[in-house]
């Protein structure tokens, strides 16, 4: 879509970048007519370094001509995408307009730093002695406001690493804030599915997301 650019944020627990959630996703988006690129955010870095780096990338894409910027992130990359879309000063009414996120797609994302699930990513991002206030301020469900951009969120109920609770928490907050959103939780499938080709029912997420992305671009 002319004027739109999507930034792909692969997962990897803030310790690595999962290759199957990177360029293959760019290729898929390109096939749907959406320009996209991978952003390899800083690893093993404390908050807010990854967020600051992503915001700089958003500014760079807008300076290069992108009128709308969407994010698509997986696992830890989904958490970072959500932070960029929801943290104070983010969203369509961002304090710095060049850092605004117009919509976000999250796959099996870590959304809460208040749960004990997927503790390694939290320790990397926040440290061993993170205060309750810091954990809450980096939990997506606590950051949702009525001015948040639209979200497409998907997960599998069997995910053993990042339980579907993470998506349920975010979905409840989006609903409470009356933020436009679509949420899909598929019954079967492991963590880190990426495009989920040949992965049973979860494979349909790309078809659903394509329709959702194009719907929001047509409304822009």
């Amino acid at each position: 879509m002319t004027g739109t650019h999507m930034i792909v944020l692969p997962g990897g627990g803030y310790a690595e970048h999962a290759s199957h959630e990177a360029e293959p996703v760019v290729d898929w988006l390109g096939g749907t007519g959406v320009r996209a690129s991978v952003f390899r955010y800083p690893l093993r870095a404390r908050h807010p370094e990854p967020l600051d780096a992503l915001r700089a990338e958003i500014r760079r894409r807008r300076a290069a001509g992108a009128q709308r910027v969407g994010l698509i992130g997986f696992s830890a990359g989904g958490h970072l995408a959500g932070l960029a879309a929801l943290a104070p000063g983010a969203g369509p009414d961002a304090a710095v307009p060049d850092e605004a996120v117009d919509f976000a797609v999250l796959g099996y994302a870590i959304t809460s730093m208040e749960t004990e699930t997927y503790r390694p990513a939290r320790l990397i991002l926040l440290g061993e002695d993170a205060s309750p206030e810091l954990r809450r301020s980096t939990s997506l469900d606590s950051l949702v406001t009525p001015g948040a951009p639209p979200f497409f969120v998907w997960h599998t109920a069997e995910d053993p690493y990042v339980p579907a609770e993470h998506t349920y928490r975010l979905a409840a907050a989006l609903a409470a804030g009356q933020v436009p959103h679509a949420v899909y939780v598929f019954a079967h499938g492991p963590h880190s599915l990426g495009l989920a080709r040949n992965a049973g029912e979860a494979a349909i997420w790309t078809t659903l997301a394509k329709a959702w992305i194009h719907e929001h671009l047509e409304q822009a």
Side-chain angles (χ1 to χ4, degrees):
M1 289 288 181
T2 302
T4 298
H5 190 93
M6 289 196 71
I7 299 172
V8 178
L9 303 166
Y14 283 112
E16 61 181 332
H17 295 126
S19 60
H20 69 290
E21 297 165 353
E23 278 75 17
V25 180
V26 170
D27 292 342
W28 164 66
L29 286 167
T32 74
V34 178
R35 294 178 182 174
S37 61
V38 176
F39 180 62
R40 289 180 168 82
Y41 49 89
L43 298 175
R44 300 190 179 279
R46 290 290 173 86
H47 175 75
E49 185 178 342
L51 176 59
D52 289 344
L54 175 54
R55 284 176 163 169
E57 174 68 3
I58 294 169
R59 292 196 303 271
R60 191 173 76 83
R61 290 295 170 183
R62 289 196 181 277
Q67 297 171 332
R68 293 179 299 276
V69 173
L71 305 178
I72 178 167
F74 302 85
S75 193
H79 177 257
L80 181 58
L83 278 182
L86 296 171
D93 300 320
V96 181
D98 287 351
E99 295 177 357
V101 174
D102 292 284
F103 60 93
V105 177
L106 310 186
Y108 42 89
I110 300 168
T111 69
S112 177
M113 290 291 164
E114 295 185 290
T115 73
E116 290 305 311
T117 54
Y118 216 78
R119 187 168 178 267
R122 174 169 59 80
L123 293 183
I124 289 173
L125 192 65
L126 305 182
E128 183 76 53
D129 301 317
S131 68
E133 292 76 19
L134 178 58
R135 291 176 67 171
R136 182 157 184 77
S137 70
T138 51
S139 293
L140 306 188
D141 54 296
S142 72
L143 298 172
V144 174
T145 68
F151 274 79
F152 179 103
V153 189
W154 72 277
H155 218 120
T156 63
E158 294 179 339
D159 191 324
Y161 293 104
V162 180
E165 173 196 1
H166 283 257
T167 281
Y168 296 140
R169 280 176 172 245
L170 177 58
L174 293 169
Q178 298 185 324
V179 176
H181 64 280
V183 178
Y184 297 92
V185 178
F186 302 103
H188 304 294
H191 189 66
S192 195
L193 280 172
L195 294 173
R197 290 170 177 151
N198 303 313
E201 62 177 348
I204 198 174
W205 86 263
T206 53
T207 300
L208 297 168
K210 174 185 174 182
W212 184 89
I213 290 168
H214 281 260
E215 175 187 352
H216 283 280
L217 295 186
E218 289 166 4
Q219 294 173 355

